[in-house]
Amino acid sequence: MFGVLRAYTLIALWQARPGLAGYDVTDAVTFCFVTQAFIGPMQLFGGGLNIPERIRSGDIALDLVRPASLQLWALAEDTGRAAYLFLVRGIPPMLLGAALFGIHFPADPGRWLAFLAGFAIAVVVSFGWRYLVALSVCWLLDDRGVAVLSLVLTTFFSGMMLPLHLFPGWLGDLVMVLPWAAMVQLPTDLYLGKAPVLDTLAFQALWAVVLLGLGALATRAIRHKVVIQGG
Amino acid sequence: MIELDRAGRSFKVRRNVVHAVRDLSFRVAPGEFVGYLGPNGAGKSTTIKMLCGILTPTTGSVRVAGLDPSRRRTTLARRIGVVFGQRTTLWWDLPLKDSFELIRHLYRVERADFATRLAELTETLDLGEFLRTPVRQLSLGQRMRGDLAAALLHAPDVLVLDEPTIGLDVVSKAGIRDFLQRLNTERGTTVLLTTHDLGDIERLCRRVMLIDHGQLAFDGTLDDLMATAPGQSSIEEVVTRLYTGT
Amino acid sequence: MVRTYALLMWTWTRAAAAYPASFALMTVLGVFVAAMDVGVILIIFANTTTLGGFSRDEVLFLYGTSAVAFTICDTFVSNIDRVSEHIKAGTLDTFLIRPVSAWIQLATDRFVANRLGRVLQAGAVLGYAVVALSLDWGRAWMIPVMVITGIVIFAALWTIAGAAQFVLTDAPEVVNTFTYGSSTLTQYPLSIYARDLVSGVTYVLPLAFVNWQPGLYVLGRDDPFGTPGFMRFLGPAAALVLALVAALAWRQGIRHYRSTGS
């Protein structure tokens, strides 16, 4: 439903300014429905990890003493769910968009390959971010605030609401290098064939590594905290 | 005071129709204290919810205090008190006192009447020490006493209790039983009590009704109930026999 | 009724006041969330001068009128959409034993004033648009009328969504998409949508009367879809009809309630 309304807004904008940001109208509509397909797998509206509840209930102590790393364990779980959600929640909006408005389906297998690689890294970036948000409960008493803040940052600066190419001036330059661009805007550009493949994947991978690294540090800190406080 | 005439309530569960209560008829006169027994899933709660107007009967008729509960739910609410043992009707985050104050407004109880009744209930139910505590911090026994008081602040003619002693310790149970007994004898409030605790029944109820598979299986005095199974000395054994049909 | 509503609201406000920091934080963050929609409009107009034939300030005017009505309902009525939560938790029973309509108790349940921040934000946008557009003051009387119409329409939608949850207890998101979707839809000039969709929200679900039809009158514009001029004034009637439908739906919902558990 929101996808359809957003598509109309984008169509109206591209009718007023054809060729804006190097997209044609069909590109813009495609952008809308491909990004819609990301909501489920990347949990763009927040959530998906049960870590905050486990921290509050104290069960986190059990997770931390397991031989497997908490972070890798959660990542494995999250990517599994993302693959599933992409199929059940991601494909239908794309088909709906194709049926209502007509969207591009790349004919070139190389482009599909680039897109799927970009999508996979995007899922990891999204996980890395949500994992940090989830762990922040440990230090902040009220996790709702962080959740809302994360929601705003993720939906607005990922390209979920508007393609980031439309953001004016320095804001436009800034949002393209933030981690959220790696979640939605970049994989979609790979789908549309509007971005250099290797550079884009490298940039996404960089953010994935940075966020996972921070996550690992945070995991160590919380283990320390839990051990000292006795859970 | 309470009148059921071939009342029934069925639910559609997927394709099947389940009759939670069927063709149930009974009357409760003003001032009676009736125990309402039955195994789990027999239709006790469904009956009670029909009495309060929460559920609309699918067949037959229900009248409480002369009103059709499902059509005149909010009018009836002023004349009936309801306590659910399993969940509180109080406001979780509010101190008990504030919950009572809110009830005064919702039921439009006169300020003077309210003050007298609250003083009385505070004393008989021994609420004094936790009147200012938020409901979520009360122990089960305290909460139940609070719930009872809340159900009686508007001086209802009928009090309907759904398992009010569930999970309570011996002392709390005894306190609640004493209170209910006095309420019935001194004020003449009609009480319908469902419980799994046969001690409640023995101690309080002159009349016992037993429901099974949505239908009335027994209706009579406690002595009559004992007489259905000669040779059995305890009420537990009698009721077990009735439940299991042996 | 109003007194009972105010009393319950006040009681919940006092309960929430026990956590002042959380209250302040949520107020600020609520404004952030709401500001995203304005951000989108501003970014769109950083790239174009018209959208669907309307200027930036005209779109902000339409956004503002819809958002003021919607956020007021979001503050005062939206808790109605938690019917399914209450059914599952069994708390609906406790509302039904009180001598006050269940609708009022649900609408005020856990009322928190922090959503008022969004009303202020929407009001500020509307205020800006009204000043920037230098409107014809002879037509400005319509603005309060359309806000009230919008409040009634959104409140009715929420009530219908709540009533639907008595049946669709397991899918509250489906019905809630419909209330929030209505808000999103009315934030833009309807001229950007397809003709069939606009006919639907004019003649079936009267969203066009929240701000589009009366807004065209205030802005002194013709309807690009060519509806006759008298339709600009039908808002209150449409709202009334929808409110009646909502009241009936709510009654039916309550009668179909199947309390679960013991």
Side-chain angles (χ1 to χ4, degrees):
Chain A
M1 171 128 179
F2 289 100
V4 174
L5 297 180
R6 202 157 56 101
Y8 278 117
T9 317
L10 293 180
I11 291 171
L13 176 56
W14 259 269
Q15 271 168 355
R17 287 285 316 277
L20 185 64
Y23 288 13
D24 60 25
V25 174
T26 316
D27 286 333
V29 173
T30 308
F31 181 91
C32 170
F33 287 98
V34 171
T35 55
Q36 204 71 19
F38 290 173
I39 295 175
M42 297 189 204
Q43 305 278 334
L44 292 176
F45 297 146
L49 298 171
N50 59 1
I51 292 174
E53 287 110 75
R54 296 188 69 84
I55 289 178
R56 241 172 281 129
S57 67
D59 290 345
I60 198 78
L62 301 176
D63 301 337
L64 286 168
V65 297
R66 270 200 217 138
S69 137
L70 170 67
Q71 191 185 15
L72 290 179
W73 181 275
L75 175 62
E77 222 174 19
D78 202 63
T79 43
R81 188 178 37 220
Y84 166 76
L85 286 173
F86 181 66
L87 293 178
V88 300
R89 291 269 200 82
I91 306 287
M94 286 175 72
L95 294 179
L96 176 77
L100 285 177
F101 300 96
I103 66 173
H104 286 310
F105 283 105
D108 171 15
R111 208 197 285 176
W112 276 106
L113 208 62
F115 165 66
L116 289 176
F119 174 74
I121 305 176
V123 168
V124 178
V125 174
S126 138
F127 165 80
W129 171 252
R130 279 178 294 123
Y131 184 77
L132 286 174
V133 170
L135 285 198
S136 72
V137 182
C138 259
W139 293 277
L140 302 161
L141 289 171
D142 194 335
D143 63 317
R144 288 178 310 163
V146 190
V148 176
L149 195 63
S150 165
L151 172 89
V152 171
L153 293 170
T154 310
T155 45
F156 206 73
F157 294 125
S158 65
M160 201 50 235
M161 306 205 71
L162 283 175
L164 298 183
H165 305 305
L166 300 185
F167 284 47
W170 61 267
L171 185 64
D173 299 335
L174 176 69
V175 291
M176 284 305 285
V177 298
L178 293 176
W180 299 286
M183 294 182 200
V184 175
Q185 180 69 48
L186 296 178
T188 314
D189 275 345
L190 288 174
Y191 181 95
L192 293 169
K194 305 282 182 195
V197 177
L198 289 178
D199 292 0
T200 305
L201 292 178
F203 173 79
Q204 285 185 283
L206 179 72
W207 269 120
V209 169
V210 169
L211 291 176
L212 288 180
L214 288 173
L217 288 178
T219 314
R220 268 175 53 188
I222 147 176
R223 177 175 296 136
H224 197 64
K225 200 169 142 95
V226 169
V227 169
I228 287 179
Q229 294 179 347
Chain B
M1 189 53 78
I2 300 174
E3 212 174 322
L4 269 80
D5 186 21
R6 300 178 66 85
R9 170 74 201 203
S10 53
F11 295 100
K12 273 203 203 82
V13 181
R14 289 184 201 99
R15 293 269 170 83
N16 304 320
V17 177
V18 178
H19 296 275
V21 168
R22 69 169 101 191
D23 275 349
L24 190 63
S25 304
F26 65 78
R27 305 169 76 112
V28 175
E32 275 198 279
F33 199 127
V34 182
Y36 194 43
L37 288 179
N40 292 323
K44 292 191 304 291
S45 290
T46 305
T47 315
I48 294 225
K49 284 171 185 169
M50 287 197 294
L51 294 182
C52 327
I54 295 174
L55 286 176
T56 313
T58 33
T59 56
S61 79
V62 177
R63 290 188 93 72
V64 178
L67 300 167
D68 176 349
S70 66
R71 293 192 179 279
R72 308 284 309 278
R73 197 184 69 242
T74 47
T75 317
L76 177 64
R78 287 182 210 287
R79 306 197 42 194
I80 185 172
V82 187
V83 175
F84 296 114
Q86 315 250 27
R87 65 179 65 104
T88 181
T89 58
L90 300 167
W91 286 264
W92 207 240
D93 296 310
L94 299 184
L96 199 52
K97 185 94 197 304
D98 292 15
S99 274
F100 291 161
E101 196 62 39
L102 201 51
I103 283 172
R104 179 176 85 74
H105 286 284
L106 293 185
Y107 287 82
R108 300 207 198 107
V109 181
E110 292 297 324
R111 207 175 276 276
D113 292 348
F114 173 79
T116 349
R117 267 179 227 138
L118 182 58
E120 217 176 278
L121 289 164
T122 306
E123 200 199 312
T124 46
L125 285 167
D126 203 9
L127 308 174
E129 53 180 308
F130 51 86
L131 266 181
R132 307 212 164 270
T133 315
V135 172
R136 66 187 130 81
Q137 292 171 14
L138 298 181
S139 75
L140 191 59
Q142 291 173 330
R143 205 211 75 200
M144 185 49 61
R145 273 138 69 197
D147 259 308
L148 261 177
L152 293 168
L153 280 169
H154 59 291
D157 306 324
V158 191
L159 181 63
V160 177
L161 304 156
D162 194 1
E163 304 186 21
T165 53
I166 194 164
L168 297 188
D169 64 54
V170 201
V171 183
S172 308
K173 257 185 207 173
I176 296 221
R177 285 175 187 164
D178 279 342
F179 174 78
L180 290 175
Q181 174 120 59
R182 283 180 51 193
L183 183 76
N184 178 245
T185 49
E186 289 171 20
R187 301 193 60 100
T189 306
T190 314
V191 184
L192 184 76
L193 165 77
T194 84
T195 182
H196 286 298
D197 188 322
L198 298 168
D200 292 347
I201 301 283
E202 265 183 312
R203 173 88 165 64
L204 293 168
C205 306
R206 289 181 290 276
R207 175 177 167 198
V208 181
M209 291 192 295
L210 200 142
I211 186 176
D212 201 8
H213 298 299
Q215 286 176 304
L216 212 54
F218 174 85
D219 184 357
T221 63
L222 193 57
D223 293 338
D224 293 342
L225 181 69
M226 298 303 286
T228 59
Q232 301 292 352
S233 54
S234 83
I235 180 171
E236 269 85 4
E237 283 163 8
V238 176
V239 170
T240 310
R241 283 173 59 120
L242 276 167
Y243 280 9
T244 54
T246 52
Chain C
M1 204 172 127
V2 176
R3 258 192 63 204
T4 311
Y5 186 98
L7 175 77
L8 285 165
M9 214 175 72
W10 174 237
T11 309
W12 283 112
T13 306
R14 265 190 327 187
Y19 312 97
S22 167
F23 174 82
L25 182 71
M26 293 313 284
T27 308
V28 173
L29 289 171
V31 173
F32 269 134
V33 173
M36 278 204 294
D37 289 334
V38 186
V40 168
I41 292 173
L42 294 181
I43 290 175
I44 286 176
F45 280 99
N47 291 279
T48 181
T49 48
T50 62
L51 189 74
F54 287 77
S55 74
R56 186 187 74 174
D57 293 343
E58 285 175 321
V59 172
L60 285 176
F61 172 76
L62 291 172
Y63 165 89
T65 42
S66 161
V68 167
F70 186 79
T71 50
I72 286 176
C73 280
D74 190 38
T75 310
F76 295 103
V77 181
S78 71
N79 286 328
I80 280 290
D81 72 13
R82 292 207 294 224
V83 167
S84 87
E85 239 174 79
H86 286 293
I87 291 178
K88 286 182 203 154
T91 38
L92 195 66
D93 289 355
T94 61
F95 293 138
L96 290 175
I97 61 165
R98 305 225 178 274
V100 172
S101 110
W103 191 91
I104 291 186
Q105 294 182 67
L106 271 161
T108 51
D109 185 60
R110 277 156 219 286
F111 169 86
V112 270
N114 60 29
R115 289 179 180 175
L116 280 174
R118 300 188 195 190
V119 181
L120 291 180
Q121 185 257 359
V125 173
L126 178 59
Y128 162 79
V130 167
V131 172
L133 284 168
S134 50
L135 293 170
D136 172 0
W137 287 106
R139 295 184 169 202
W141 60 270
M142 182 60 106
I143 298 174
V145 174
M146 64 200 273
V147 168
I148 292 168
T149 306
I151 292 173
V152 174
I153 289 177
F154 284 128
L157 282 179
W158 246 304
T159 307
I160 292 171
Q165 291 185 13
F166 282 103
V167 185
L168 300 165
T169 311
D170 294 320
E173 321 80 34
V174 178
V175 282
N176 294 346
T177 309
F178 151 90
T179 39
Y180 288 93
S182 304
S183 149
T184 309
L185 184 121
T186 50
Q187 286 175 1
Y188 289 91
L190 295 190
S191 53
I192 68 170
Y193 303 114
R195 182 175 282 271
D196 291 343
L197 180 61
V198 176
S199 301
V201 296
T202 307
Y203 302 110
V204 184
L205 194 69
L207 294 173
F209 297 100
V210 169
N211 59 350
W212 172 245
Q213 288 285 355
L216 289 172
Y217 169 78
V218 176
L219 298 172
R221 303 276 303 243
D222 289 328
D223 184 354
F225 295 102
T227 57
F230 72 86
M231 291 196 48
R232 316 287 176 267
F233 307 100
L234 288 186
L240 213 62
V241 171
L242 192 67
L244 273 173
V245 171
L248 285 176
W250 182 255
R251 270 176 70 101
Q252 278 304 313
I254 294 267
R255 283 186 78 80
H256 277 108
Y257 171 50
R258 358 183 335 167
S259 170
T260 48
S262 48

